[in-house]
Amino acid sequence: MRFEIMNAGKVKLCASLCMWLGIVTWIGNVKLHLWSVFVQQSTERDVVFSVLNEQVHFSKRHAPENAGLRDGKTFNIRSPVIRNNVIEHRVFWSAWLDSLSTRVFGVEHERKWREQVRDARVVVLEAGCGRPTNRLATFADGTRACVRYGIDADQVLGETLSYYLAELLGISNLPPLALSKLNLSSEQWASVRGNIEALEWSPNAIVSLTEFIPNVTGVFIPLHLRKQQGGGLQLSAETISNMTATYLVELMQWSDLIIFDYLTANFDRIVSHIFSLQWDARVMERTTNNLLKTINGHLLFIDNEAGLVHGYRVLDLWERYHRLLLSSSCIFRRSTVRRISEMKRSGNSAKLLYELYRAREPLARELGSLSEEHALTLQYRIDVVYKHIKQCTEIM
């Protein structure tokens, strides 16, 4: 009898111990969960766009290998944590998504192309490449390029400086460019002298040559930008869950294009669409001017003749629409933000631009560069973009 009572006591003691152990474990799990939430929120607060040292600080995060699927497949996003695989700290495209995007034109490819076409013999000069003043040139080796004569030299200068500004920003969506002089007695142009004279192009004028890219299609302004003009591009977990990796990489290129077109004041692309909304409610449903897409999904920012020079000259007519376009996006590529920060810190972006342009282009001195007034305009617009990015980090 005593033995049975002792056994019953042991059973009750074990049961009590198990119950208390379970309670303690549950409390520990709750505390651990609350601590993880606190750490996550603290990490988000630690992301600061610093005005004092003009640098962007980011905590290092790496998306898991199975975070999403590559081109053509939708993401499986079920929580805000997974959403961070696409957008980090609410305003930056993630490093994981950025890794899916490659350079459109490699640095070595651009260098070789420039060296090749500067002295290559043109054998055919025919209509093509947009404006009536442009021509499609075929070289002796079969290479083709768009020749832009321009209504005046400022358009060739704007095209050229826009190309090198994109390089300063780390944006590789502009086809390789080189300058050439129309010396009709030179080996390069002698075979098409008759065509040039028929076009009434001025002898010894400087033209730009840009690589001709075949098999391209027109591009529509993304629906998310059309709907949120002026309100900031915001992507929720629900909207991202229905997007493909291909589409998100395209949106990332659009965020670069919006910054690029604001800096260059290029009104002959998206801004002209915004302007036309006054009398054409369906203009956004048509393809964008001077923007093409390759079979690999890369966007091509072409025909930048209105940028920097002519665009700055007519700012009073277009600035309202440039500001609307800039305000339409509050998500950025971190590498682009870094370049903007560096150019603001330099205080002399026009000098950086001219040094790069002169180093790469033998005809730079002859064609010229930005006026002092336009150099100040470029720096001012760099500052405006920097301020816009800062405001987005604070608001979001």
Side-chain angles (χ1 to χ4, degrees), residues 55-94:
Q55 293 178 347
V56 181
H57 302 276
F58 303 98
S59 63
K60 295 182 179 179
R61 283 190 187 174
H62 301 281
E65 294 181 0
N66 60 348
L69 302 175
R70 288 181 178 265
D71 295 358
K73 299 181 180 179
T74 57
F75 291 93
N76 181 20
I77 296 181
R78 300 182 183 278
S79 71
V81 175
I82 304 295
R83 176 174 175 268
N84 287 339
N85 297 328
V86 175
I87 301 172
E88 294 177 349
H89 315 305
R90 299 182 178 89
V91 292
F92 299 105
W93 298 110
S94 71

Side-chain angles (χ1 to χ4, degrees), residues 27-195:
I27 292 173
N29 287 335
V30 170
K31 287 183 176 180
L32 182 61
H33 173 72
L34 293 174
W35 174 251
S36 67
V37 170
F38 172 77
V39 169
Q40 182 178 352
Q41 291 175 344
S42 298
T43 302
E44 294 294 333
R45 288 195 299 269
D46 287 342
V47 182
V48 179
F49 196 104
S50 174
V51 181
L52 295 176
N53 60 13
E54 298 178 355
Q55 293 178 347
V56 181
H57 302 276
F58 303 98
S59 63
K60 295 182 179 179
R61 283 190 187 174
H62 301 281
E65 294 181 0
N66 60 348
L69 302 175
R70 288 181 178 265
D71 295 358
K73 299 181 180 179
T74 57
F75 291 93
N76 181 20
I77 296 181
R78 300 182 183 278
S79 71
V81 175
I82 304 295
R83 176 174 175 268
N84 287 339
N85 297 328
V86 175
I87 301 172
E88 294 177 349
H89 315 305
R90 299 182 178 89
V91 292
F92 299 105
W93 298 110
S94 71
W96 170 78
L97 183 64
D98 201 21
S99 70
L100 299 182
S101 176
T102 58
R103 280 190 64 93
V104 183
F105 299 98
V107 174
E108 186 63 16
H109 168 80
E110 293 185 27
R111 184 189 65 79
K112 288 182 178 179
W113 192 90
R114 285 195 298 267
E115 292 178 356
Q116 177 186 352
V117 302
R118 279 198 177 109
D119 300 313
R121 184 165 62 92
V122 180
V123 294
V124 177
L125 198 62
E126 57 191 328
C129 298
R131 299 178 187 276
T133 54
N134 297 341
R135 283 295 182 269
L136 176 60
T138 302
F139 298 94
D141 65 355
T143 300
R144 292 193 292 174
C146 287
V147 183
R148 292 183 170 82
Y149 175 77
I151 298 173
D152 54 44
D154 281 350
Q155 289 189 323
V156 177
L157 179 60
E159 174 84 18
T160 306
L161 292 179
S162 293
Y163 172 75
Y164 285 107
L165 179 62
E167 188 165 337
L168 276 182
L169 293 168
I171 296 173
S172 65
N173 298 78
L174 282 68
L177 177 146
L179 295 177
S180 176
K181 182 182 285 190
L182 292 176
N183 182 350
L184 303 187
S185 61
S186 68
E187 183 179 354
Q188 182 173 32
W189 297 105
S191 298
V192 292
R193 178 170 183 164
N195 300 81

